[in-house]
Amino acid sequence: SPPILRIDPATESRQRERLETIRRNRSAADVAQTLAVLGQQARDPVRNLMPALIAAVHTHATLGEITAVLEDVFGTYTEAATA
């Protein structure tokens, strides 16, 4: 079996602090607006989402926030079990 990746607690703590600093210093309204636009555009099957994704990243939306919006629109893929 493959080895399990273990993150050093000090590294985890540093990353959490960086994330909190980013969230504290960004405009929550701008993030919410760009995520709303991303969700709206994701519902259009012919829309190129790259500009909306870039806009969300520029407002410092996190990967988790962006993913949550896209999961809301597209759902989560679950591979079917095979016998």
Side-chain angles (χ1 to χ4, degrees):
S1 96
I4 296 174
L5 175 63
R6 305 242 186 252
I7 304 297
D8 175 55
T11 300
E12 179 182 356
S13 178
R14 258 191 328 274
Q15 284 299 99
R16 287 181 184 273
E17 288 171 16
R18 288 178 62 203
L19 179 59
E20 286 308 312
T21 299
I22 288 170
R23 284 185 170 155
R24 204 172 29 253
N25 294 326
R26 70 185 185 179
S27 168
D30 289 349
V31 171
Q33 174 64 26
T34 58
L35 291 175
V37 169
L38 176 61
Q40 179 184 27
Q41 291 184 2
R43 287 174 174 77
D44 181 347
V46 297
R47 191 69 176 242
N48 177 1
L49 295 183
M50 193 54 68
L53 286 165
I54 291 170
V57 169
H58 279 282
T59 63
H60 298 287
T62 66
L63 182 59
E65 291 165 333
I66 292 169
T67 301
V69 168
L70 296 175
E71 283 180 351
D72 184 50
V73 175
F74 299 116
T76 304
Y77 175 75
T78 303
E79 188 172 357
T82 57

